[in-house]
Amino acid sequence: MAGSANLNVMMKTARAAGRALSKDFREVEQLQVSTKGPGDFVSKADMSAEKLIREALMEARPSYGFLGEEGAEIEGEDPTRRWIVDPLDGTTNFLHGMPHWAVSIALEHKGQIVAGVIYDPTKDEMFYAEKGEGAWMNESRIRASGRNKMIECVFATGLPFAGRSDLPETLQDLARILPACAGVRRWGAAALDLAYVAAGRYDGFWERRLNAWDLAAGLVIAKEAGCLVEPLNPNGNILQDGELVVANEAIFDQFSKIARG
Ligand code: IPD
Ligand code: CA
Ligand code: CA
C-alpha cells in the first residue's frame, strides 16, 4: 500500500528503532551468562529506542504531541494530534533472549487512532494500517480469521505478574474461556497479540490493565483487518481504561460474552 507521508515516517522510524534494538538484543544473549544480568542494559536499550523514535517523529512533525512509555508526555502546539509510542513491547521476552517483541507507533487525531505501525524486527514483520485503507503486513493485505466455532478458536491474553491485584478476575476469565476453545496463549507482547488477531493468526484477544501505548497502534490495525474491537466493560474507554476484547466478526458475540463473564 502506498501510505500517507505520516505512515511512511512511522514505518521508517519503527525500522530504525528496530535496527538499534536488534543490535542490543544480540548483546543481551551474551549478558544472560553474566552475574549482573541484562536488566539495566535492557532498560537503557528501551530508553534509547524511545529517544530515537521521539527525535525522529518530532523532527518530522514538530507540532504534534508525544506520549511514550519511558518519558513524560510532550504537549504539541497542535492539540489534536499526538504520537503514542511503546519503543519496546515485550520487554520481558527481550530480557530473556526470546525473539518476540516489537516497536509500536500510533498516531492519534482528535481522540481517535488514525494510523498504526507494529514492527517485529526479529521476524521482519511490519504490521500497519491507516483508517479506511485496510491492514497490511509487509506487502500483503491482512484480514481477521473467519473461524466461527469457539472450540476451534485460539485466543491471546496477558496474565498478571508480580503480585498484581487483577489475578482473581483473570483466573475467573480463564476458567470460563479455556474449556470453551482450542487454546489460550500468553506470549508477552500485547501489541503483537493485536497484530496477530488482525492477521488471522489468533481469533481473538482480551486483556486488562494495559496502557495506551501497548494497544494504540494495534487498535487501528485490528479494526482495519475487519476485527470487532470493544472495551471489556461496554461503557468503558479502551485508550483510557486499557481493557479490551477483540475478535473476528464471526466469533465476537460468543467470545465477548464469555470474556465479559
Ligand atoms: C507488556 C506487554 C505484555 C502485557 C503487559 C505489558 P512491556 O508491555 O505488552 O504482553 O501483558 O501488561 O506491560 O512492558 O513489555 O512494554
Ligand atoms: Ca508494552
Ligand atoms: Ca515497553
Side-chain angles (χ1 to χ4, degrees), residues 9-24 44-60 66 70 83 85 87 103 105 119:
V9 167
M10 293 161 79
M11 294 209 278
K12 196 171 156 210
T13 305
R15 278 216 171 83
R19 269 195 302 276
L21 285 165
S22 296
K23 235 194 239 167
D24 294 332
K44 273 186 208 132
D46 212 334
M47 283 194 289
S48 67
E50 180 158 318
K51 182 167 178 281
L52 180 157
I53 296 170
R54 189 176 57 238
E55 287 174 359
L57 295 178
M58 301 216 57
E59 191 187 326
F66 184 94
E70 306 300 330
W83 304 111
V85 170
V103 178
I105 302 178
Y119 181 50

Side-chain angles (χ1 to χ4, degrees), residues 33-51:
V33 289
S34 80
T35 45
K36 199 172 164 233
D40 290 351
F41 177 83
V42 170
S43 60
K44 273 186 208 132
D46 212 334
M47 283 194 289
S48 67
E50 180 158 318
K51 182 167 178 281

Side-chain angles (χ1 to χ4, degrees), residues 18-198:
R19 269 195 302 276
L21 285 165
S22 296
K23 235 194 239 167
D24 294 332
F25 186 62
R26 288 192 289 274
E27 193 84 1
V28 164
E29 286 169 356
Q30 311 301 317
L31 293 171
Q32 298 293 355
V33 289
S34 80
T35 45
K36 199 172 164 233
D40 290 351
F41 177 83
V42 170
S43 60
K44 273 186 208 132
D46 212 334
M47 283 194 289
S48 67
E50 180 158 318
K51 182 167 178 281
L52 180 157
I53 296 170
R54 189 176 57 238
E55 287 174 359
L57 295 178
M58 301 216 57
E59 191 187 326
R61 299 288 181 269
S63 63
Y64 293 11
F66 184 94
L67 172 68
E69 181 173 10
E70 306 300 330
E73 181 165 3
I74 300 169
E75 303 231 342
E77 231 170 79
D78 175 352
T80 70
R81 291 183 172 83
R82 75 175 169 165
W83 304 111
I84 303 180
V85 170
D86 191 343
L88 171 56
D89 186 55
T91 318
T92 307
N93 291 342
F94 189 98
L95 181 65
H96 286 248
M98 298 194 279
H100 192 74
W101 47 271
V103 178
S104 175
I105 302 178
L107 177 60
E108 182 188 51
H109 183 216
K110 296 186 175 164
Q112 276 199 10
I113 307 299
V114 293
V117 162
I118 296 170
Y119 181 50
D120 173 347
T122 53
K123 303 175 198 77
D124 194 23
E125 290 187 333
M126 174 76 77
F127 300 89
Y128 56 99
E130 282 188 284
K131 213 171 159 220
E133 301 294 334
W136 300 75
M137 195 271 281
N138 296 343
E139 309 305 321
S140 309
R141 184 88 192 253
I142 51 173
R143 288 186 181 80
S145 72
R147 283 186 200 90
N148 58 8
K149 294 189 187 72
M150 276 295 288
I151 204 66
E152 292 173 2
C153 289
V154 174
F155 300 105
T157 192
L159 300 176
F161 46 87
R164 260 174 35 175
S165 61
D166 53 335
L167 180 63
E169 294 105 287
T170 308
L171 293 177
Q172 285 162 17
D173 291 346
L174 290 171
R176 292 189 307 276
I177 295 168
L178 281 170
C181 70
V184 170
R185 303 285 180 269
R186 196 293 191 246
W187 282 7
L192 286 176
D193 290 340
L194 281 161
Y196 280 26
V197 184

Side-chain angles (χ1 to χ4, degrees), residues 175-219:
R176 292 189 307 276
I177 295 168
L178 281 170
C181 70
V184 170
R185 303 285 180 269
R186 196 293 191 246
W187 282 7
L192 286 176
D193 290 340
L194 281 161
Y196 280 26
V197 184
R201 295 174 180 174
Y202 290 135
D203 304 293
F205 166 69
W206 86 102
E207 191 163 347
R208 301 169 195 282
R209 299 263 213 109
L210 290 169
N211 288 293
W213 46 77
D214 299 312
L215 52 82
L219 286 186

